[in-house]
Amino acid sequence: MDRRRKFIWEEMSYLERWWRDASEDKRETFTNLVKNGQLEIVGGGWVMNDEANSHYFAIIEQITEGNMWLNDTIGFVPKNSWAIDPFGYSPTMAYLFRRMGFENMLIQRTHYELKKELAWNKNLEYVWRQSWDANETTDIFVHMMPFYSYDIPHTCGPEPAICCQFDFARSHGFSYELCPWGQYPVETNPENVQERALKLLDQYRKKSTLYRTNTLLVPLGDDFRYVTAEEAEAQFRNYQMIFDYINSTPSLNAEAKFGTLDDYFQTLREEADRINYSVPREIGSGQISGFPSLSGDFFTYADRQKDYWSGYYVSRPFFKAVDRVLEQTLRASEMLMAFLLGHCQRPQCEKLPMRYAYKLTAARRNLALFQHHDGVTGTAKDHVVLDYGTRMHTSLQDLQIFMSKAIEVLLGIRQEKYDQTPALFDPEQVRSKYDALPMHRAISARKGTVQSVVLFNPLEQTREEVVMVVVSRPDVSVLDSNWTCVQSQVSPELQHDESKIFTGRHRIHWKASIPAMGLQTYYIANGFAGCEKAKPAKLKFSSKLSSGPCLAPYACSKVEGDTVEIVNRHQVLTFDVKHGLLQKVIHKNGLQNVVVEEIALYSSSGGAYLFLPDGDAQPIIKSGGNLVISEGPLMQEVYSYPKTSWEKTPVSHSTRIYNGGNTVQDFLIEKEYHVELLGKDFNDRELIVRYKTDTNNKRIFYSDLNGFQMSRRETYDKIPLQGNYYPMPSLAFMQGSNGQRFSVHSRQALGAASLKEGWLEIMLDRRLVRDDGRGLGQGVMDNHVMNVVFHILMESNISSTSDPVSNPLPLSPSLLSHRVNAQLNYPLHAFIAKKPQEISAPTHSRSFSPLAAPLPCDLHIVSFKVPRPSKYSQQQQQLVDPRLVLMLHRRNWDSSYCKKARSQCTAVADESVNLFNMFKDLTVLNARATSLNLLHDDTEMLGYTEQFGDVARDGRVIIPPMEIQAYKFELRPRQ
């Protein structure tokens, strides 16, 4: 075996698949190659994830899943990351890698003008620092590849026609395309080796002038390569001959060899230690001297001319939504699993969680797989999308069955914790197939019966909010777990259908209170003596609908005038009746905001990756659609089925406000868009919603990166419209010079722009016939019916803020904004009893409240889980690692806005939090700090400030704003 030959491997999903079928001999050979440094695993995540649409929860899960599998299987922990193919890059990755113990990163797809600028100043290698980091604790070294692509014609040097001659897999014996420049590779032999070597070395020298050091990296590979031993042999054999010539010719003054990524970074760091490459007045880093430090992100990517890759922020939005549903269901399931096992002392009560352990692992891996840079991006072929969708759907169903059984145990209903009987509860939402919208399960509410509804709150604070379930008849009451009557409201269920807007079912709303990370039961009763029935909403119709009979038990009237209002304690919303669109918002403190809602279509010639609009978006709503207004004590709604040029409108929408009495919900406006961009009428069309406000934002807005941090976005005339679109995984906001803020929170990844002063537009769906030439080979035509939900928040600050125009740093959301985002992205999980009970049969009070007290408002539990659920029992015997992990993120918030988040926010995490007394009936043992991929317990190497890691002594945890910290521990029931 030639030890000079080296190779790198990135994605664990493929390696795990190969490993499953590999013989013992092959496994051993592979492991030995890794151990002797010939084969380096780089990144080692389950996949090479997208960085625009992926949420940081899923990114952490996917890297950890891959890294832990690798460590368990081969005993290797990666320290260099390799991300050549995501379409733009996020600093969130740099932060997470640093806190996982990685040392170096490599990236490739950044804007061609940016590459030019960085290359000119020899800044293609730099230290990436977070914009909020004053102490240089987040610095990580980055190598950016300099040219158009990562394939062989674009990696040896600046001239692809020459580099292609050194891609020996393009010789005639292999199935790859020949060099498009007309000069082909020739086998290296003693006669031509000098000419070949000098030609290649000339490219290397030219490439090296773009970097500071004398150490040069030349990757040698491409997509779908090295599939046969002959192909690998051709590359290794030809190059070795060239390298031997270079190395044996002293006058060339060069040394060339095969290496791994680690060989490169080690050699480079040794050189940088010896020679100072710093430039005068350059801000560097203590991490590695001689290189500049940079902050910020690399969106939006363009690879040539005006081809901006902003289309994939929105492509396949249906699955971008499913992705987030799977995320929050997995997070909730992992919590319940942790509580089940924490409260468990006898082996037989481990049977339920153990039976579902492999399904939790499968769910984690299916979610991880979808984070791939052709998964959540919406840039896969139709049959691959079907596979992703099916996997996510299967996992969602498995997790919901597990959750419904777990809540029985935690509520004390199921004593035989391991029995095989079916669950007593069904999830309130049911998905019939992988590409269908979830439906609400209706509660039948027969006379003389009650049906229980159990709510799980996955957040770290007590939750007070108005909740909704669907009932098949309206004459019901709501009781809490002590059988006390609760005020409720009933309104008709609506659907996207011009002739039949009412489904015949009803929505019942009430205000619920659910403990932090806990469970609470409510009852829907029919005929419970002494209980007021749900109050029917008052209905108003636009003229077209008002001719029909009024639906029982509602009072109906006709909308009079050109405008209509809905009102709660904090705001008045005004709508234009003819078009059914929002016009303005008046706040109860007297402030008025113009918020003109517009729904429009772009005509476009892009594809899955590229957004290429042919001019501006054209509004599609005409005068004369249907309008239904429901007004009740807890929820007010305007539903609009608008008139458009098409027989069936592609969009209908609801606007809701709530009256929960001092809840977070009371301050927001809920927008739900039902989108059906189906059929050839909408070919090469992209649907947007645009909010035209009076916020003087100077075309500057802020959008989040991976749900973790904000980035400042400024609209420039010098770049085309599509280049001013940015990823919006969960939030975008504008701020005016008077400090007024207009925020839109989303529960799925989309794209956003502020093309004119005060405008914020968000793309909802896109349907494109053509392939855009970036490797997919098809358009995006598999659109699905879907609902997009936004929570809009308008805030005015209470103290002076920095001016967005002059301040280049990103602003942070307010505390209220963080809470709105958390409630939207981590909704309550509702479960309905399969069988109604007779009212006469008494039921126990049912709740579960695991925390000793709610956590501070700015502290978020990223995850609370058993990382290796299937090995939980074995680990007990071996007592290796503590078996549970708690990951905490302290959110940074803008203190110039209301501190109490206008709700029951009593504490923020200025003081330490004590892990030892966090849980009510559980004792925390053997606590220790760990890296975010759970593989490094030496926290020095992770860059955190010094107080991190002393938790074992007194349980005290101090988390600076923006930081994420992970702790391993054991849980035992308190005696």
Side-chain angles (χ1 to χ4, degrees):
M1 193 165 64
D2 188 342
R3 293 188 74 115
R4 295 174 302 178
R5 296 183 173 188
K6 304 280 183 94
F7 200 75
I8 62 171
W9 186 308
E10 210 277 338
E11 296 182 299
M12 294 307 95
S13 52
Y14 290 102
L15 185 58
E16 189 272 338
R17 191 70 203 78
W18 175 84
W19 189 267
R20 252 185 283 167
D21 301 336
S23 66
E24 273 311 309
D25 284 357
K26 276 193 174 158
R27 289 177 175 190
E28 193 181 338
T29 307
F30 188 95
T31 304
N32 289 336
L33 287 170
V34 173
K35 292 213 155 86
N36 76 15
Q38 269 183 277
L39 175 58
E40 184 192 359
I41 309 288
V42 292
W46 202 245
V47 295
M48 184 193 296
N49 62 270
D50 171 45
E51 304 193 12
N53 304 295
S54 282
H55 192 273
Y56 78 103
F57 169 86
I59 296 172
I60 293 171
E61 289 269 318
Q62 85 82 12
I63 299 172
T64 304
E65 190 59 36
N67 283 189
M68 286 182 72
W69 178 85
L70 182 63
N71 188 40
D72 290 350
T73 311
I74 296 174
F76 181 80
V77 180
K79 59 180 179 186
N80 303 303
S81 94
W82 170 267
I84 54 170
D85 216 9
F87 329 132
Y89 296 91
S90 167
T92 304
M93 294 301 294
Y95 174 78
L96 296 177
F97 278 132
R98 180 76 177 93
R99 296 291 186 253
M100 287 177 173
F102 281 71
E103 294 168 9
N104 308 291
M105 300 174 67
L106 178 142
I107 63 177
Q108 147 64 16
R109 289 189 184 271
T110 57
H111 197 299
Y112 59 91
E113 287 289 355
L114 189 98
K115 283 187 189 253
K116 213 188 301 183
E117 170 69 20
L118 292 175
W120 185 255
N121 297 300
K122 296 194 177 185
N123 289 343
L124 285 164
E125 290 183 315
Y126 62 93
V127 172
W128 206 343
R129 179 175 301 161
Q130 299 303 310
S131 60
W132 37 265
D133 173 20
N135 304 321
E136 301 186 18
T137 72
T138 60
D139 291 7
I140 188 165
F141 185 72
V142 183
H143 170 95
M144 185 188 294
M145 290 165 69
F147 303 128
Y148 170 75
S149 171
Y150 50 74
D151 63 2
I152 296 173
H154 296 94
T155 46
C156 90
E159 295 165 80
I162 293 173
C163 291
C164 197
Q165 299 169 41
F166 295 90
D167 183 358
F168 296 99
R170 292 183 193 247
S171 309
H172 288 283
F174 302 105
S175 59
Y176 303 107
E177 77 162 339
L178 298 175
C179 291
W181 297 273
Q183 293 164 290
Y184 307 116
V186 289
E187 185 73 22
T188 314
N189 57 44
E191 285 70 56
N192 68 7
V193 67
Q194 178 181 13
E195 180 267 333
R196 298 275 81 197
L198 293 177
K199 196 162 211 161
L200 184 61
L201 196 57
D202 179 54
Q203 290 297 305
Y204 288 178
R205 286 219 167 94
K206 285 171 177 165
K207 181 177 181 177
S208 73
T209 61
L210 307 179
Y211 293 91
R212 297 185 181 193
T213 71
N214 292 311
T215 308
L216 185 69
L217 176 69
V218 182
L220 186 72
D222 200 346
D223 295 20
F224 316 112
R225 285 298 187 91
Y226 299 110
V227 292
T228 64
E230 293 75 31
E231 179 196 337
E233 181 58 37
Q235 301 282 26
F236 279 125
R237 179 183 66 243
N238 281 286
Y239 271 95
Q240 193 62 60
M241 193 173 239
I242 293 170
F243 292 168
D244 288 346
Y245 177 81
I246 292 171
N247 297 342
S248 62
T249 313
S251 60
L252 294 177
N253 209 9
E255 183 194 354
K257 61 184 180 186
F258 294 114
T260 61
L261 199 55
D262 198 53
D263 291 337
Y264 171 71
F265 283 126
Q266 276 197 27
T267 311
L268 175 118
R269 282 171 176 265
E270 282 161 18
E271 186 186 337
D273 280 347
R274 286 197 318 275
I275 305 164
N276 183 7
Y277 287 107
S278 297
V279 173
R281 294 189 300 284
E282 172 176 85
I283 295 172
S285 164
Q287 276 299 308
I288 173 170
S289 59
F291 300 94
S293 72
L294 302 178
S295 293
D297 62 86
F298 295 101
F299 297 112
T300 288
Y301 170 55
D303 56 350
R304 56 182 188 237
Q305 285 110 18
K306 294 184 173 181
D307 289 0
Y308 281 85
W309 296 42
S310 46
Y312 82 95
Y313 303 155
V314 190
S315 296
R316 270 54 178 257
F318 178 91
F319 294 105
K320 284 175 163 69
V322 175
D323 165 61
R324 296 282 274 278
V325 176
L326 179 55
E327 258 169 74
Q328 35 106 345
T329 309
L330 176 63
R331 178 178 170 275
S333 301
E334 289 181 328
M335 273 181 188
L336 293 176
M337 170 82 80
F339 284 129
L340 283 183
L341 290 169
H343 282 284
C344 198
Q345 279 180 300
R346 303 177 313 287
Q348 80 246 35
C349 83
E350 282 184 11
K351 286 197 176 165
L352 169 67
M354 287 305 101
R355 242 189 34 247
Y356 281 89
Y358 73 99
K359 289 192 168 173
L360 248 76
T361 301
R364 226 174 254 172
R365 290 179 177 183
N366 286 337
L367 175 67
L369 194 67
F370 192 64
Q371 304 315 306
H372 187 278
H373 57 268
D374 285 315
V376 67
T377 52
T379 55
K381 288 187 186 293
D382 288 350
H383 69 274
V384 180
V385 173
L386 185 150
D387 182 65
Y388 281 134
T390 307
R391 284 168 181 272
M392 292 197 287
H393 179 66
T394 303
S395 286
L396 263 176
Q397 293 191 303
D398 288 344
L399 293 175
Q400 287 185 321
I401 294 168
F402 166 70
M403 285 179 78
S404 58
K405 292 190 169 187
I407 62 178
E408 293 176 41
V409 179
L410 294 171
L411 290 174
I413 298 169
R414 182 185 285 252
Q415 292 312 315
E416 290 296 290
K417 298 188 172 76
Y418 57 92
D419 77 6
Q420 297 280 348
T421 54
L424 303 175
F425 292 94
D426 279 324
E428 186 269 332
Q429 293 202 18
V430 54
R431 288 171 184 263
S432 57
K433 53 188 215 293
Y434 82 97
D435 59 353
L437 273 180
M439 297 290 291
H440 292 284
R441 205 181 287 274
I443 295 175
S444 56
R446 286 197 323 275
K447 190 89 181 141
T449 65
V450 298
Q451 212 152 341
S452 35
V453 177
V454 176
L455 300 170
F456 174 57
N457 169 17
L459 289 182
E460 353 17 52
Q461 288 88 29
T462 307
R463 217 154 149 163
E464 311 251 319
E465 68 185 75
V466 175
V467 299
M468 187 275 289
V469 295
V470 169
V471 287
S472 50
R473 48 193 295 172
D475 50 342
V476 293
S477 315
V478 180
L479 315 172
D480 67 16
S481 59
N482 300 320
W483 289 71
T484 311
C485 309
V486 177
Q487 182 198 14
S488 59
Q489 150 187 348
V490 67
S491 54
E493 186 185 45
L494 309 173
Q495 66 184 359
H496 177 85
D497 187 327
E498 186 179 25
S499 55
K500 187 174 177 259
I501 279 185
F502 302 115
T503 65
R505 308 194 306 176
H506 307 266
R507 297 172 295 169
I508 187 153
H509 286 85
W510 74 95
K511 183 182 166 184
S513 174
I514 308 99
M517 292 169 78
L519 296 161
Q520 190 60 269
T521 308
Y522 287 87
Y523 300 98
I524 307 294
N526 184 340
F528 190 78
C531 242
E532 195 188 352
K533 285 185 177 167
K535 199 176 171 70
K538 292 194 181 94
L539 303 183
K540 285 186 198 156
F541 300 111
S542 60
S543 51
K544 216 162 143 190
L545 287 167
S546 51
S547 53
C550 188
L551 221 69
Y554 306 103
C556 302
S557 61
K558 196 173 156 179
V559 174
E560 304 292 345
D562 296 336
T563 61
V564 67
E565 292 180 347
I566 52 173
V567 184
N568 72 2
R569 288 170 45 175
H570 302 287
Q571 49 197 356
V572 181
L573 274 55
T574 307
F575 295 81
D576 153 21
V577 170
K578 286 198 180 74
H579 299 88
L581 296 165
L582 183 62
Q583 281 189 320
K584 69 171 180 223
V585 179
I586 304 165
H587 305 275
K588 286 299 173 77
N589 61 9
L591 279 170
Q592 284 203 33
N593 285 97
V594 175
V595 182
V596 174
E597 178 184 20
E598 183 172 277
I599 295 171
L601 282 173
Y602 282 101
S603 290
S604 119
S605 53
Y609 304 89
L610 306 183
F611 175 34
L612 291 172
D614 313 331
D616 194 17
Q618 299 305 309
I620 59 169
I621 307 296
K622 300 184 162 185
S623 174
N626 291 340
L627 211 58
V628 181
I629 295 108
S630 313
E631 293 178 302
L634 295 167
M635 188 275 297
Q636 315 237 327
E637 173 179 52
V638 173
Y639 170 80
S640 168
Y641 186 96
K643 186 174 170 60
T644 60
S645 306
W646 301 278
E647 196 178 332
K648 190 165 186 189
T649 171
V651 61
S652 59
H653 54 106
S654 292
T655 312
R656 304 183 195 102
I657 51 176
Y658 295 91
N659 259 324
N662 205 25
T663 68
V664 167
Q665 238 178 351
D666 290 17
F667 296 95
L668 57 86
I669 299 167
E670 182 168 283
K671 282 291 326 184
E672 181 166 3
Y673 296 92
H674 178 92
V675 178
E676 299 196 2
L677 209 64
L678 313 174
K680 61 180 188 305
D681 284 345
F682 302 107
N683 284 355
D684 293 322
R685 296 282 190 275
E686 318 208 17
L687 180 73
I688 63 155
V689 60
R690 187 180 276 161
Y691 302 108
K692 300 176 170 179
T693 74
D694 51 2
T695 312
N696 58 340
N697 70 327
K698 305 283 188 287
R699 298 196 301 171
I700 292 164
F701 75 109
Y702 299 82
S703 64
D704 70 315
L705 292 163
N706 318 100
F708 175 65
Q709 58 183 322
M710 300 306 294
S711 186
R712 180 181 185 274
R713 309 297 187 192
E714 186 166 348
T715 299
Y716 295 106
D717 292 323
K718 65 183 176 189
I719 58 175
L721 189 160
Q722 59 268 29
N724 286 303
Y725 246 82
Y726 291 96
M728 174 189 164
S730 73
L731 169 64
F733 67 77
M734 303 185 287
Q735 181 166 313
S737 53
N738 57 358
Q740 287 228 326
R741 235 180 227 192
F742 179 86
S743 307
V744 180
H745 294 269
S746 166
R747 62 178 188 187
Q748 70 177 84
L750 295 164
S754 177
L755 301 177
K756 292 197 178 167
E757 169 123 345
W759 288 17
L760 186 65
E761 72 177 60
I762 299 158
M763 193 178 287
L764 302 177
D765 199 359
R766 50 204 312 265
R767 181 180 181 85
L768 299 146
V769 176
R770 284 180 288 272
D771 175 55
D772 51 13
R774 294 309 187 274
L776 179 56
Q778 61 157 84
V780 181
M781 308 278 287
D782 55 345
N783 303 64
H784 298 294
V785 176
M786 58 164 214
N787 292 334
V788 178
V789 177
F790 297 141
H791 281 177
I792 297 173
L793 191 58
M794 291 152 92
E795 302 173 278
S796 41
N797 57 353
I798 50 172
S799 61
S800 63
T801 54
S802 62
D803 174 24
V805 181
S806 58
N807 181 7
L809 288 177
L811 302 177
S812 294
S814 68
L815 202 48
L816 176 60
S817 189
H818 278 307
R819 299 208 62 191
V820 167
N821 211 312
Q823 292 198 358
L824 183 60
N825 279 287
Y826 300 105
L828 293 165
H829 294 262
F831 294 87
I832 298 170
K834 284 183 178 170
K835 295 196 177 74
Q837 298 160 289
E838 299 305 311
I839 280 183
S840 53
T843 321
H844 308 295
S845 165
R846 304 272 188 212
S847 67
F848 168 67
S849 180
L851 297 188
L855 292 190
C857 275
D858 51 354
L859 204 58
H860 169 58
I861 292 180
V862 179
S863 60
F864 173 48
K865 66 176 184 179
V866 177
R868 293 183 176 87
S870 53
K871 297 187 177 156
Y872 188 85
S873 305
Q874 299 136 273
Q875 280 178 281
Q876 175 62 32
Q877 283 98 49
Q878 297 154 10
L879 284 175
V880 273
D881 235 6
R883 295 174 298 172
L884 284 95
V885 168
L886 179 72
M887 199 175 284
L888 298 165
H889 172 208
R890 186 164 169 209
R891 296 186 167 120
N892 191 30
W893 50 281
D894 190 328
S895 57
S896 60
Y897 291 82
C898 180
K899 177 174 175 175
K900 285 199 170 159
R902 299 180 167 184
S903 66
Q904 295 81 352
C905 236
T906 45
V908 289
D910 291 336
E911 276 117 56
S912 63
V913 174
N914 197 316
L915 282 190
F916 291 174
N917 50 27
M918 184 181 282
F919 301 104
K920 204 181 279 175
D921 302 316
L922 295 168
T923 304
V924 172
L925 308 163
N926 314 337
R928 63 168 185 260
T930 185
S931 59
L932 298 187
N933 59 357
L934 316 182
L935 294 176
H936 299 284
D937 291 347
D938 165 21
T939 53
E940 290 287 294
M941 64 178 294
L942 307 173
Y944 287 103
T945 40
E946 61 284 15
Q947 73 260 52
F948 180 56
D950 298 342
V951 62
R953 228 181 24 256
D954 56 5
R956 279 177 58 241
V957 174
I958 298 169
I959 305 185
M962 286 310 296
E963 290 289 3
I964 306 176
Q965 296 180 359
Y967 297 91
K968 295 178 184 170
F969 50 70
E970 285 290 340
L971 280 180
R972 294 272 185 287
R974 282 228 168 100
Q975 298 306 326

